[in-house]
Amino acid sequence: MSASEPTDLPDDLRERALAWIADDPDEGDREELRAVLTAAEGGDAAAAADLADRFSGALEFGTAGLRGAVGAGEHRMNRAVVQRAAAGLGTWLAQRFERPRVVVGLDARHRSREFADDSAAVLTAAGCEVLVLPRPLPTPVLAFAVRALDADAGVMVTASHNPPQDNGYKVYLGGRAGGEDGRGVQIVPPVDAEIAAAIGAVGPLARLPRAGGGWRVLGEDVVEDYLDAVLAATGLPEHPAPARDLRVVTTAMHGVGGAVLAEALRRSGFTDVHVVPEQAEADPAFPTVAFPNPEEPGALDLALDLAARVGADLVLAVDPDADRACAAVPTGERGDRSAWRQLSGDELGWVLGEHLAAPGAVLACSVVSSQGLARIAAAHGARFSPALTGFKWIARVPGISFGYEEAIGYCVAPAVVRDKDGISASVLTARLARRLLADGRTLLDVLDDVARRDGVHVTGPVSIRVEDLSLIGDAMARLRDRPPAELGGSPVTSVEDLRDGVDGLPGTDGLRWRTAQGARVVVRPSGTEPKLKCYCEVVVDVDPAGTAADLAAARALAADRLDAVRRDVRAATGIG
């Protein structure tokens, strides 16, 4: 149907749109929705489809909070949706605690300030003591503040590394609400469903109480306290200094982490730090990257170009809200742009885990992350604990010392931030690299050491983005009914449905296959994006006394096997 042909607009869709317009507290959103409705009523098929999508169901409040495209309507991020979320959270807290304390933070995405202000006004009116971070800051600062200020909850307005059109709403519990292992951690069931029910019970927004003031804007001391705590937690034993300082390139990916990361490195004694200028300032349009995620192809191009020009030893990147981090290192001459390697999420997890593992320590990673951390823990007499996917589960592992997920999230200082934290992970990585430089070694040498001891682990994803979410459900049903008989030329010897629970964990939507050759694949729907995600791993044992050539040959064999497994996995999904 062309945009000019008449289209029948369902009466219920028109009525829902009109009701939303009447209740929406923002004039700009009302005008936006009126324009879409008028166009749809005039026969514009594209507008009708847009309107139907805006009212395809309310944004679901779950363990990831809220996340979606900014715009008017129930299936968008806007002031009406945020006010309802804040009201539901305020009701849930007020029913359980007297004068609950809530910290509110925000990033620099589109409308984050409005959403944070609305949250403060609604939560204050609900009887909460509300503390607002002084400016747009990284998510880890909010997670830190929930613990440090003994708050009962925290709200972070951010869409993390989502595309520019998105925003979101993360909720943390702490103090009386979270329990010791959940203090400063994102919500999990059944709390998410309880808050969602409270949100659903919110009446007309015209009658929703909103305070005109009464909340407190925190001073810069909360950032100072965070930096002090991070530096103390990531300190290393005394070691001879290198002959020259480590040369570091950093990028904040147009997010809010740049200044905090730069200051953390400066206070850690790094004097040779080069910031990617094009990505240094917060910009919600993220103009230099297709997706503001350091994992995405091309996202580090500007950083690697700068690293080659200045002859850097290390590249550090954080995502827009700085809760994720990644690293890249030169593999040859430091000035050679082609001689750089970005560590995978698992590889940096192994490096950090190898440092933090010790007798009595507790190491944790998600079930979709590499099996390598379990071997690292065993080698050091530490305890390993698997967790469901997402830091809301990893951070709740009792007594956790270090946790990571393959999606470049790392918790290296759980007493400071009980969540993934790209700032502290970056500082610790830089400190380890500097100490290695003094010994004439690099992070790649650590990976070689681990591989010789624990075997070569090679991981790689198959990530399939879809427009039609039903394709993911169909693929999961198909894979449950007809799992592959072999992967990468090796028979599948184990088929596990994660809905039934594995490794002592609660059930979750996913499948896990193992092959006779030692490959492992986990398939699951993404919790935050329209993707089917397949996590593939191949392990090849090596002779600990073997030569460098032997290790290189083992890696090449593992890479070939991984490529074959990934091809078969993509074919098995039927949508790749």
Side-chain angles (χ1 to χ4, degrees):
M1 179 183 295
S2 70
S4 60
E5 292 177 342
T7 180
D8 291 327
L9 197 64
D11 288 339
D12 66 323
L13 178 56
R14 180 185 291 106
E15 290 168 2
R16 289 165 66 192
L18 289 170
W20 188 274
I21 290 169
D23 194 45
D24 197 309
D26 188 88
E27 177 57 29
D29 288 340
R30 293 196 297 270
E31 286 299 321
E32 176 184 318
L33 202 50
R34 284 192 195 103
V36 176
L37 177 59
T38 298
E41 290 178 324
D44 187 326
D50 182 18
L51 190 68
D53 186 62
R54 291 169 186 259
F55 289 91
S56 58
L59 279 184
E60 183 177 348
F61 184 91
T63 54
L66 294 168
R67 198 171 291 186
V70 173
E74 67 177 6
H75 198 65
R76 298 287 188 269
M77 281 294 296
N78 50 63
R79 293 184 64 202
V81 166
V82 166
Q83 287 184 17
R84 289 183 178 277
L89 175 60
T91 296
W92 186 88
L93 289 167
Q95 288 172 344
R96 289 160 176 78
F97 312 109
E98 183 177 354
R99 187 86 169 135
R101 175 179 292 174
V102 184
V103 185
V104 176
L106 69 151
D107 68 6
R109 281 181 177 262
H110 294 299
R111 305 190 71 178
S112 285
R113 173 56 69 185
E114 291 176 79
F115 298 162
D117 288 346
D118 278 342
S119 297
V122 171
L123 288 166
T124 299
C128 299
E129 177 192 3
V130 178
L131 311 174
V132 181
L133 294 187
R135 53 187 168 86
L137 285 165
T139 292
V141 177
L142 181 280
F144 164 79
V146 172
R147 290 176 64 87
L149 300 176
D150 199 24
D152 296 299
V155 168
M156 183 68 192
V157 179
T158 181
S160 190
H161 58 284
N162 271 39
Q165 65 268 24
D166 287 0
N167 211 329
Y169 203 79
K170 293 182 181 180
V171 176
Y172 293 75
L173 294 184
R176 295 169 290 181
E180 186 51 40
D181 289 327
R183 193 163 62 89
V185 184
Q186 292 185 64
I187 56 172
V188 295
V191 171
D192 58 339
E194 293 168 356
I195 296 174
I199 293 171
V202 175
L205 293 181
R207 296 203 296 266
L208 181 67
R210 288 182 286 266
W215 56 89
R216 178 161 63 95
V217 177
L218 296 169
E220 286 294 321
D221 54 321
V222 68
V223 183
E224 292 293 317
D225 292 345
Y226 165 77
L227 287 168
D228 288 345
V230 164
L231 267 58
T234 57
L236 300 181
E238 288 292 329
H239 194 82
R244 60 175 179 81
D245 197 11
L246 189 80
R247 183 165 295 166
V248 183
V249 164
T250 68
T251 177
M253 211 65 62
H254 297 293
V256 294
V260 179
L261 176 57
E263 183 62 13
L265 290 172
R266 187 190 69 79
R267 295 187 187 190
S268 301
F270 292 93
T271 60
D272 198 353
V273 177
H274 303 258
V275 178
V276 176
E278 300 93 335
Q279 298 174 334
E281 298 300 321
D283 186 338
F286 305 107
T288 68
V289 289
F291 286 92
N293 180 353
E295 289 185 291
E296 292 287 338
L300 288 191
D301 282 355
L302 290 175
L304 295 176
D305 289 343
L306 178 59
R309 290 199 303 273
V310 302
D313 302 290
L314 178 68
V315 168
L316 295 170
V318 293
D319 73 336
D321 70 328
D323 64 349
R324 300 170 191 252
C326 79
V329 293
T331 57
E333 292 297 324
R334 290 184 295 141
D336 183 354
R337 171 64 172 82
S338 65
W340 277 83
R341 177 176 159 194
Q342 181 176 347
L343 302 189
S344 71
D346 284 314
E347 287 175 327
L348 185 53
W350 303 331
V351 168
L352 296 171
E354 178 71 7
H355 167 69
L356 292 167
V362 177
L363 276 56
C365 69
S366 61
V367 293
V368 301
S369 300
S370 168
Q371 303 160 99
L373 190 66
R375 295 194 179 189
I376 288 171
H380 290 275
R383 182 166 69 86
F384 173 74
S385 181
L388 292 180
T389 306
F391 254 89
K392 57 187 175 287
W393 297 111
I394 297 169
R396 279 186 163 78
V397 169
I400 186 172
S401 306
F402 168 67
Y404 93 92
E405 61 182 1
E406 51 74 42
I408 61 173
Y410 309 95
C411 176
V412 302
V416 178
V417 174
R418 195 82 171 224
D419 195 15
K420 56 186 177 290
D421 180 357
I423 304 295
S424 59
S426 293
V427 170
L428 180 56
T429 300
R431 285 177 154 170
L432 289 172
R434 181 169 56 190
R435 186 170 69 176
L436 289 163
L437 179 63
D439 297 334
R441 286 161 50 86
T442 73
L443 300 178
L444 298 179
D445 291 306
V446 176
L447 291 176
D448 285 351
D449 294 344
V450 172
R452 291 178 187 280
R453 185 190 66 211
D454 300 336
V456 169
H457 290 65
V458 180
T459 61
V462 173
S463 185
I464 305 172
R465 184 179 291 270
V466 300
E467 295 294 330
D468 181 358
L469 286 175
S470 69
L471 294 176
I472 293 178
D474 292 346
M476 291 299 295
R478 188 164 52 249
L479 292 170
R480 284 189 165 96
D481 290 341
R482 299 186 300 277
E486 67 174 33
L487 293 169
S490 179
V492 172
T493 57
S494 171
V495 176
E496 298 169 286
D497 194 329
L498 273 58
R499 291 187 305 193
D500 301 329
V502 298
D503 302 332
L505 300 172
T508 187
D509 189 8
L511 296 164
R512 184 165 69 186
W513 308 318
R514 299 181 191 274
T515 75
Q517 262 183 351
R520 187 201 68 171
V521 175
V522 180
V523 183
R524 61 179 283 272
S526 171
T528 58
E529 297 177 274
K531 288 181 177 180
L532 182 67
K533 304 188 80 171
C534 313
Y535 307 83
C536 308
E537 180 171 24
V538 167
V539 182
V540 173
D541 290 331
V542 297
D543 180 356
T547 65
D550 294 333
L551 184 57
R555 285 202 168 107
L557 174 61
D560 288 343
R561 288 182 180 176
L562 180 66
D563 287 342
V565 168
R566 292 173 69 189
R567 284 194 298 270
D568 288 350
V569 167
R570 183 175 290 275
T573 67
I575 57 174

